[in-house]
């Protein structure tokens, strides 16, 4: 009877541990839509390997940052997926844990530029670059330089994002041969661009609708959105100017005060596996931060897709995260007042 009681007791402990494991979950803060779908690719693999479920909290970039500040002592998430320059705002405000690279060995397979800081690591790169409707622009029209946006052929046809003017401002500084920090010098050139602007878009969906309807047959857009529009059968050409496309980099960070740090490190290590990076970038059509991540050939040949760090450095304009985070509020304020009104 004692043996039976001991066995039943052991089974009860095992069952209790199993229930606890099933109840444990990792919470990730990310965007909604296809961005969440991309993170969920990693989440499914993480759950498969660990048995731990993943829950997603979605929202806008700055909205999630504001919530994290309010809940800094008891964060609602364990992992943060955000843009690189906003990642700087998180960790400079003490909202992220310092990463222990020894617990994330797959990070060693990334390009050096992927380690954005001691607190953030990037998994892929995308670009904002010019694109145009080939059926609505003159035959032979090309955007081989950002300068084309100031040309007579683009007058009254250009669409730009209203939430982030950095792309066209950075492009203007590149054309002028000055640093982004010297952007005051290109204000007159930016004002000249007003004659080209037809409309501003507020979201990916608005961007796609404006170019689909032909209201803005020329746009500065996220290359990922451009590929989606092409899949709809709309004839658009995505160009990478000779000066380079303006790169965007998303990053991961672990919430400060998370009680699931070890699980978060496991998740990151899985997310940064070359095979997982390839799967994610084939899904999004973006550039993995590892030369070991082998993209599908049809994805690798797309404009704005880079398969090596050298290619990124040659074809993309990348601003360091602190400079980006510092200048963006200035750019937004000036752009709103002088370019949008």
């Amino acid at each position: 009877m004692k043996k039976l009681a001991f066995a039943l007791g052991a089974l009860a402990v095992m069952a209790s541990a199993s229930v606890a494991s099933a109840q444990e979950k990792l919470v990730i803060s990310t965007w909604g839509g296809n961005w969440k779908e991309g993170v969920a690719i990693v989440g499914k693999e993480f759950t498969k390997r660990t048995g731990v479920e993943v829950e997603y909290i979605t929202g806008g970039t700055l909205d999630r940052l504001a919530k994290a500040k309010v809940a800094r002592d008891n964060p609602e998430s364990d992992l943060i997926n955000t843009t690189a320059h906003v990642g700087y705002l998180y960790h400079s405000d003490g909202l992220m844990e310092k990463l222990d690279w020894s617990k994330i060995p797959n990070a060693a397979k990334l390009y050096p530029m992927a380690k954005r800081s001691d607190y953030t690591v990037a998994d892929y790169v995308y670009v904002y670059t010019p694109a145009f409707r080939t059926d609505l622009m003159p035959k032979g029209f090309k955007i081989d330089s950002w300068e084309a946006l100031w040309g007579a052929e683009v007058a009254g046809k250009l669409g730009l994002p209203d939430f982030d003017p950095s792309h066209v401002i950075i492009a203007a500084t590149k054309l002028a041969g000055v640093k982004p920090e010297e952007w005051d010098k290109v204000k007159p050139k930016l004002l000249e661009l007003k004659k080209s602007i037809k409309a501003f878009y507020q979201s990916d969906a608005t961007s796609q609708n404006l170019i689909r309807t032909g209201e803005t047959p020329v746009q500065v857009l996220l290359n990922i959105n451009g590929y989606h529009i092409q899949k709809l059968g709309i004839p658009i050409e995505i160009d990478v100017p000779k000066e380079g496309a303006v790169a965007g980099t998303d990053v991961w960070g672990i919430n400060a005060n998370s009680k699931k740090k070890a699980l978060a490190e496991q998740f990151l290590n899985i997310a940064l596996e070359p095979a997982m990076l390839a799967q994610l970038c084939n899904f999004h059509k973006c550039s993995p931060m590892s030369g070991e991540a082998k993209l599908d050939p049809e994805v690798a040949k797309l404009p704005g897709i880079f398969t090596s760090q050298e290619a990124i450095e040659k074809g993309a304009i990348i601003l360091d995260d602190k400079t980006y985070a510092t200048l963006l509020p200035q750019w937004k304020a000036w752009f709103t007042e002088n370019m949008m009104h």
Side-chain angles (χ1 to χ4, degrees):
M1 289 294 291
K2 286 183 178 179
K3 288 183 178 179
L4 178 60
F6 178 81
L8 290 172
L11 285 171
V13 170
M14 291 172 63
S16 175
S18 177
V19 169
S21 176
Q23 290 175 340
E24 192 170 34
K25 62 184 178 183
L26 187 71
V27 182
I28 294 176
S29 170
T30 187
W31 301 275
N34 66 322
W35 302 107
K36 177 187 170 184
E37 290 178 38
V39 174
I41 291 173
V42 184
K44 288 175 185 176
E45 183 62 23
F46 171 80
T47 300
K48 179 181 175 182
R49 297 190 197 182
T50 65
V52 177
E53 294 296 324
V54 179
E55 180 180 312
Y56 304 95
I57 296 174
T58 61
T61 306
L62 296 180
D63 289 340
R64 291 187 289 123
L65 173 61
K67 287 181 180 179
K69 289 181 178 181
V70 172
R72 67 172 62 241
D73 295 327
N74 187 26
E76 61 179 357
S77 62
D78 304 295
L79 273 167
I80 304 154
N81 184 210
T82 189
T83 57
H85 64 279
V86 173
Y88 169 81
L89 297 177
Y90 273 90
H91 68 73
S92 65
D93 198 22
L95 298 172
M96 284 181 174
E97 293 277 353
K98 191 172 183 178
L99 295 174
D100 182 349
W101 301 112
S102 70
K103 302 291 179 60
I104 315 169
N106 282 319
K109 301 176 183 179
L110 303 177
Y111 304 140
M113 66 169 57
K115 294 181 178 179
R116 307 300 295 175
S117 71
D118 290 338
Y119 302 83
T120 51
V121 60
D123 46 2
Y124 56 75
V125 173
Y126 48 84
V127 295
Y128 274 84
T129 198
F132 65 93
R133 286 277 298 266
T134 56
D135 59 330
L136 298 178
M137 294 301 288
K139 186 177 180 180
F141 177 77
K142 291 281 183 185
I143 305 179
D144 54 3
S145 169
W146 285 92
E147 192 68 52
L149 300 184
W150 278 260
E153 292 172 314
V154 182
K157 298 176 180 177
L158 179 63
L160 295 175
D162 69 354
F163 51 86
D164 188 349
S166 62
H167 319 110
V168 73
I169 294 176
I170 291 170
T173 63
K174 193 78 172 178
L175 289 170
V178 300
K179 296 177 181 178
E181 297 92 322
E182 302 175 288
W183 69 282
D184 276 350
K185 296 179 180 179
V186 299
K187 286 180 179 177
K189 185 169 185 66
L190 290 167
L191 291 171
E192 290 174 12
L193 187 65
K194 290 181 74 171
K195 67 180 185 300
S196 296
I197 299 170
K198 174 65 182 296
F200 294 93
Y201 61 83
Q202 301 79 37
S203 65
D204 292 345
T206 312
S207 166
Q208 293 171 19
N209 189 57
L210 284 172
I211 203 164
R212 180 183 59 80
T213 60
E215 184 175 346
T216 59
V218 183
Q219 272 192 22
V220 175
L221 52 62
L222 179 62
N223 61 333
I224 294 170
N225 286 339
Y227 306 139
H228 176 72
I229 296 166
Q230 287 177 335
K231 282 181 66 176
L232 298 177
I234 298 165
I236 73 164
E237 180 176 318
I238 303 166
D239 288 334
V240 175
K242 61 185 180 182
E243 299 86 10
V246 179
T249 312
D250 289 346
V251 296
W252 287 100
I254 299 174
N255 285 83
N257 299 315
S258 166
K259 297 177 178 63
K260 310 279 180 58
K261 185 178 178 182
L263 286 174
E265 290 167 339
Q266 280 184 269
F267 183 97
L268 286 183
N269 199 47
I270 293 171
L272 300 178
E273 285 180 0
M276 189 59 65
L277 290 176
Q279 191 175 345
L280 183 63
C281 288
N282 283 328
F283 172 79
H284 280 311
K285 294 184 175 61
C286 56
S287 306
M289 277 287 196
S290 171
E292 294 184 30
K294 303 304 179 185
L295 297 176
D296 292 343
E298 61 270 23
V299 174
K301 68 183 181 183
L302 291 170
I305 299 296
F306 311 110
T307 56
S308 69
Q309 176 160 318
E310 292 73 23
I312 296 173
E313 292 171 348
K314 182 180 178 181
I317 306 170
I318 301 180
L319 205 57
D320 73 272
D321 301 335
K322 181 178 180 179
T323 300
Y324 212 137
T326 303
L327 290 176
L328 187 55
Q330 301 174 34
W331 289 341
K332 282 185 176 180
W334 182 87
F335 202 86
T336 300
E337 182 178 348
N338 295 279
M339 300 291 289
M340 298 177 65
H341 299 294

